[in-house]
Amino acid sequence: KQWYQRRVAITAGEMENSYRTSPSVKFPSSAVSKKIQLILDSRLANLKYDHDTCKALCNQLTDVIKDEVRRDIRDIERYKLVCWVSIGQVSGQDIRVVSRCLW
């Protein structure tokens, strides 16, 4: 009987839940990139590379960037933020980075 009542309600004009596959608002990538650049410039302006302190610095930068970006886009739904910071010494070498995710 419950199924029949639900079916009658749907045919009477009630809409079922719908699932969106894309967000309603586009992610503001240019504004976020500028914000990240400002954070990195202010935090790394006068620092020299030190292998021992880079791990802690990466963790701090990751937390600051995530907090600032979340504060700026808190009204935008359906985005998951992933922040990954890597610091290395500029010595003419190449670096290869691979990242794979399964959600």
Side-chain angles (χ1 to χ4, degrees), residues 54-66:
C54 278
K55 181 179 180 182
L57 184 60
C58 285
N59 290 336
Q60 291 171 358
L61 285 172
T62 302
D63 292 337
V64 168
I65 290 170
K66 281 194 302 186

Side-chain angles (χ1 to χ4, degrees), residues 7-94:
R7 184 55 122 178
V8 169
I10 291 171
T11 58
E14 181 184 325
M15 300 290 289
E16 287 192 38
N17 292 336
S18 62
Y19 298 96
R20 294 187 314 210
T21 58
S22 62
S24 59
V25 178
K26 186 178 176 187
F27 187 78
S29 59
S30 62
V32 170
S33 295
K34 290 176 186 177
K35 183 71 153 184
I36 291 171
Q37 192 62 46
L38 287 172
I39 293 169
L40 292 176
D41 289 343
S42 67
R43 298 284 179 130
L44 301 175
N46 298 321
L47 292 178
K48 298 282 185 185
Y49 177 77
D50 183 20
H51 176 72
D52 298 328
T53 60
C54 278
K55 181 179 180 182
L57 184 60
C58 285
N59 290 336
Q60 291 171 358
L61 285 172
T62 302
D63 292 337
V64 168
I65 290 170
K66 281 194 302 186
D67 293 341
E68 292 289 325
V69 170
R70 277 192 187 130
R71 187 177 314 133
D72 287 350
I73 66 163
R74 65 176 162 233
D75 297 333
I76 300 175
E77 300 175 353
R78 303 179 63 88
Y79 284 104
K80 181 177 278 198
L81 297 176
V82 177
C83 182
W84 179 40
V85 176
S86 179
I87 298 175
Q89 185 177 12
V90 177
S91 61
Q93 298 175 346
D94 291 338

